[in-house]
Each structure stands twice: as structure tokens, then as C-alpha cells.
Amino acid sequence: MGERIMFDPRAALPFFREEELAALEPRVKQIHQQIHARTGVGSDFLGWVDLPLTYNREELAAIKNAAAQIKEQAEVMVVAGIGGSYLGARAAIEMLTPYFCSGAGETGAYPQVIFAGHHLSGTYLQELLHYLEDKEFCLNVISKSGTTTETAVAFRFLRKLAEEKYGKKGAASRIYATTDRQKGALRRMAEEAGYQTFTIPEDVGGRYSVLSPVGLFPMAVAGLDIEQILAGAGEAYQACSVAEPALNAAYQYALLRNLFYQKGKLVELMVSYEPALHYFTEWWKQLFGESEGKEGKGLFPAAVNFTSDLHSLGQYLQDGRRIFFETVLQVLRSKSTLALPAEEENLDGLNYLAGRQVDELNAQALQGTLLAHQDGGVPVLVLRIPELSAYYFGYLVYFFEKACAMSGYLLGVNPFNQPGVEEYKQNLFALLGKAGYEERRQRILTRLDNLEHHHK
Ligand code: PA5
């Protein structure tokens, strides 16, 4: 058992009273029962709850075998996917691989993992195809529905390039599809072409799928220790399976964010002090935004990278409208021992810091900012993470998933659907002229026409 991640609400104490929390506790216990007995709304999407214990061992072995083969075969793996089929893997790889080399090994011993299909930029795709021309590559296309436009468009180009380079059969041996067990165009395509497939469990939705092959396969290819990721998630499962909020940090966090929301805070800012956490906060934004933002309700999840953003948003955060609270990701142990050298001339006046580690300065910046923002009327919650490792990545993922389910139910919404995303997807299909969307297309074109006239 590793050290646990600690949740510290002390810097938020002036902004709530213990009785306010206590009043919500019976509801938390009730929701806990609902989650574990799978009786709440959206309960057919609760497969993620037990995933750290029940994941398919055979598939995990297949993932590791495929990753080992790719390591021999390819310099690059392109992962095509969007939203829940993209952000988790990217978050892990950005958090756990070195800043200035592509693979997880010190010298880039693992294939570079590049992401595509997460937007519709033709320039990006064109440049990627050009980049791949003289590289040995393989592909992982990820889509639960198998019909997402961004992913399908990128995959068509990437597949064509692979087939031109390796022939149809050769390309098929380099393409891996992660999709639903039975349904969807991607499943049919994979079966017809003979791609190796990995399965997204039916009862696990996109944004809760990072601990399934959706996240684990690209992570394994990048050289991450996926067993450690699952071990960390397993530890978080134990820590977050207690009904009593006082003993369950994920529930305390969920309770407080709901309390702040009730008190008029509209935005939660996830704060990190390590650039490697940027995509983790992107993943977190999707998890909470898509789970809670519905029926006119929900905290808006936003993220800032300090100290960079203190030099752009710092003024507003200290002094602007008091509509947010912060959750700080504090990493306790760093990999770096880099200390500031002394200089005889001291022209930059930095000798008072000579011998101090850069990450110590970062830690002091965190403390100073926390107090300043508290003084400025901002409640600050802190999550203490022992270190950035595969184990704690898994722990954090599960911690936030469990907190999100609790938080969404406390808010009174179904945390597992995303009707708003469907709305955009259907408008795009209609505008692009997909069969079956003719009526919607007419409506949209009329509205666009009216907008155009209004502007003239
Ligand atoms: O969380 C979600 O459900 C979404 O973000 C989806 O993951 C995203 O839209 C991609 O969908 P799909 O995997 O079906 O291509």
C-alpha cells in the first residue's frame, strides 16, 4: 500500500461552517448506497466503479503484448480519438514522460505517441501526415460509438497513409481499434479488415473510461507502467469506498464543492504548479463539466497553471468578482534537485536564493499564493499528492471519478449522460449533409441565413 493522497480543506475553513457540512452527510451516505447498489439514475453506466478490481486480465496481457510488439515495430503511434476517448491517455503520458523526449525512457526508448482526431484542423492533419511519411508508425483508433466525425475523418487519412506505405495486409497488422464489443461502424470495420481490437466495457462511459483499454493501451505503448496505474486506482477504490464522509476524502471534496456552489460560487479552478499536469486538468475539466453541466446547473470547471497564469489571471483571481474557489494539486516530492548557482557578480540580484532548489521556490509560490487568495476571499482546497508517478495517476483518476459521481448526484443530475454533446454532434452531421439529418439541416440553414441577413 502506498501513501494516500491527502485532502486538506483547512484554507477553506473560514468560508463554511461544520454544521453546514454535517447537514449534507445523510444525503452522502444515501448516495453512496445508490452508487454501490447501482440504483441511481444512469446506473447502467457504473461499470467504472469496480474497474480497478474487475478489469479483464486477459485483455491487459494482450495490451502489454501489443505494446511490446509496437516498440519493436514503430517509432510513432498515432492515437485517433476525442473527449473521453482521448484526454485520459494524454493526461497520463504528459504527466509521466519526460518534458523533452517523446517516450517514457530517459532517451526516448519507447515510441512517440501523437494524438489526432481531437479537432478538425486540416493543417494539423496535413502536417501530421507529412511528419509520418518517413516514420515507421502504427495506429490506435478509439471510439465507443464508432461514428464520431473528428475521429473518423482523421482515421480515414491515417489508414490511407498506412495502406499506401505497408499495403492493406501490412497496415491491418499495425492498426489497433478500441471500441464497443459489438456495436458501431468501427467494430464492423475492424472485423472486416482484421485489426486487433480492444474493448470498451458497455457500462463505462467515455469520460470514465481512462482505466479501460481506451487509456491503458496508449499508455502502455508510451512505456508507462499500467499495472502500477491500476494498483493506484485499486488503492483509491479502497480509500473511497467508505460511506462516512469524514473518512472518505473524495466525498469530502464532493460535499465542499456542492456547498460552495450553494453559496454562489460558480466556478471551480483546478490549480497546478507543474506543467506536466496541464492535460490532467483538461481531463478533469471534461469529467466534471460533462457530468454536472446540465439542466441549467453545475459549477463551471476551469483550470490554471501556476505560476504562469499568475502573470495573466493573477489580478482577477486576487481582486475580481468572487465567483470561484480553488482546488490546488500540490505535488510533495519532485524528481528535480536543480538548485540555483551562486554568481560572484550577482547582477540579477538572485544570490539570496543561491543553493535553493527551483522546486522549493515553486513550493513557496504555492504557499504564498494560497494565503493571498484566501485573504482575497477565495476558499482554497488542497490535494497533496506524494509524487507524480503511475501509481498516483491511477489513484487521482479514481479519486476524481468517485468524487464526480457523488457530486453530480448531490447536485441532482444524472452524472453519466451528456445530452448537450449529442446536440452539437447532430448539428454537425446535419450541416455536413449526413443522410437522416435532412429536417434538422433545413432548420439550421434557415437560422444561419437569418443570422447572415441580420449582420448585413
Ligand atoms: O465522454 C464522452 O462521452 C465523450 O467525450 C466521448 O468520449 C466523445 O464524444 C467521443 O465519443 P466516441 O468514443 O463515441 O467517439
Side-chain angles (χ1 to χ4, degrees):
M1 193 173 96
E3 284 165 76
R4 287 190 171 172
I5 285 176
M6 300 299 293
F7 176 66
D8 182 354
R10 281 176 302 177
L13 284 178
F15 303 93
F16 68 92
R17 285 178 290 113
E18 285 295 333
E19 309 86 82
E20 292 175 308
L21 273 190
L24 286 167
E25 279 187 17
R27 180 84 186 109
V28 171
K29 288 183 183 157
Q30 193 190 359
I31 294 171
H32 173 82
Q33 298 309 334
Q34 256 179 35
I35 294 174
H36 284 266
R38 300 196 183 207
T39 52
V41 280
S43 59
D44 40 351
F45 282 102
L46 279 169
W48 57 271
V49 174
D50 297 328
L51 208 52
L53 309 185
T54 60
Y55 64 86
N56 183 334
R57 266 73 180 167
E58 264 173 43
E59 194 155 48
L60 193 77
I63 285 175
K64 285 165 60 179
N65 284 339
Q69 190 182 332
I70 290 168
K71 188 168 180 247
E72 298 305 314
Q73 211 179 19
E75 299 156 82
V76 177
M77 180 166 89
V78 183
V79 177
I82 193 166
S85 292
Y86 152 64
L87 282 165
R90 184 149 201 186
I93 293 170
E94 300 272 341
M95 184 194 285
L96 301 171
T97 60
Y99 280 112
F100 300 106
C101 88
S102 45
E106 285 296 296
T107 51
Y110 291 90
Q112 180 185 18
V113 175
I114 295 181
F115 294 90
H118 53 297
H119 47 63
L120 285 169
S121 161
T123 309
Y124 180 97
L125 207 47
Q126 192 167 328
E127 291 183 12
L128 174 60
L129 294 169
H130 180 63
Y131 177 76
L132 291 174
E133 270 166 17
D134 62 351
K135 304 271 184 314
E136 294 299 330
F137 68 92
C138 62
L139 305 174
N140 177 208
V141 54
I142 310 177
S143 179
K144 189 166 186 200
S145 63
T147 54
T148 301
T149 311
E150 292 89 334
T151 307
V153 166
F155 183 52
R156 183 179 278 208
F157 281 104
L158 291 161
R159 194 180 69 225
K160 185 163 172 287
L161 182 70
E163 287 175 354
E164 281 163 9
K165 189 164 175 151
Y166 302 111
K168 257 199 158 40
K169 215 164 150 225
S173 71
R174 287 169 174 264
I175 298 177
Y176 301 81
T178 309
T179 189
D180 187 85
R181 190 180 305 281
Q182 285 173 331
K183 290 187 295 233
L186 183 57
R187 169 58 63 184
R188 284 197 301 281
M189 195 193 277
E191 276 167 9
E192 210 152 286
Y195 306 148
Q196 182 170 350
T197 58
F198 298 113
T199 302
I200 310 174
E202 209 169 358
D203 55 358
V204 176
R207 60 190 172 277
Y208 289 85
S209 69
V210 51
L211 299 172
S212 81
V214 169
L216 296 177
F217 179 50
M219 292 179 207
V221 171
L224 305 188
D225 187 340
I226 55 175
E227 312 247 15
Q228 274 301 301
I229 290 176
L230 288 165
E235 179 63 23
Y237 171 90
Q238 300 300 344
C240 303
S241 285
V242 186
E244 186 64 53
L247 303 174
N248 184 334
Y251 290 174
Q252 281 170 41
Y253 167 61
L255 263 177
L256 280 167
R257 58 195 309 285
N258 276 268
L259 197 57
F260 293 141
Y261 179 66
Q262 283 173 29
K263 288 171 177 281
K265 302 295 182 196
L266 300 177
V267 178
E268 177 178 3
L269 280 180
M270 183 61 64
V271 180
S272 66
Y273 282 79
E274 187 63 53
L277 285 170
H278 173 74
Y279 274 95
F280 184 77
T281 62
E282 291 296 300
W283 169 82
W284 170 86
K285 270 159 54 178
Q286 186 198 354
L287 181 66
F288 280 83
E290 225 169 61
S291 299
E292 292 198 321
K294 47 196 76 156
E295 300 168 32
K297 298 193 252 188
L299 275 162
F300 183 81
V304 285
N305 297 120
F306 289 170
T307 60
S308 317
D309 290 333
L310 288 172
H311 296 259
S312 57
L313 293 170
Q315 173 60 37
Y316 191 102
L317 300 179
Q318 188 67 43
D319 232 5
R321 287 202 62 187
R322 305 294 76 192
I323 53 169
F324 54 88
F325 67 93
E326 292 177 2
T327 301
V328 177
L329 300 172
Q330 179 180 20
V331 182
L332 298 180
R333 289 191 295 275
S334 136
K335 284 186 223 132
S336 154
T337 51
L338 195 70
L340 208 75
E343 266 180 13
E344 212 167 293
E345 287 180 318
N346 195 26
L347 290 177
D348 54 13
L350 281 183
N351 268 359
Y352 79 105
L353 295 176
R356 314 258 303 261
Q357 294 189 3
V358 178
D359 279 331
E360 188 199 330
L361 312 186
N362 206 16
Q364 296 303 333
L366 184 153
Q367 301 296 357
T369 309
L370 181 148
L371 293 180
H373 288 184
Q374 193 195 41
D375 288 345
V378 180
V380 184
L381 306 172
V382 180
L383 261 190
R384 298 223 163 78
I385 306 156
E387 63 195 6
L388 293 185
S389 64
Y391 182 87
Y392 288 112
F393 175 82
Y395 194 115
L396 277 173
V397 162
Y398 193 84
F399 173 91
F400 280 120
E401 286 179 348
K402 196 70 185 288
C404 187
M406 173 55 71
S407 186
Y409 279 139
L410 278 171
L411 186 66
V413 298
N414 174 356
F416 307 113
N417 65 1
Q418 53 284 328
V421 182
E422 297 311 317
E423 201 51 32
Y424 142 76
K425 284 187 179 179
Q426 292 187 21
N427 274 0
L428 182 60
F429 283 148
L431 278 173
L432 296 177
K434 190 170 180 172
Y437 292 83
E438 293 77 6
E439 210 185 298
R440 187 180 273 256
R441 180 175 166 80
Q442 270 322 312
R443 261 187 289 128
I444 293 179
L445 289 179
T446 311
R447 281 174 60 198
L448 288 175
D449 222 35
N450 289 344
L451 282 180
E452 190 73 14
H453 280 102
H454 188 75
H455 280 304
K456 276 184 184 157

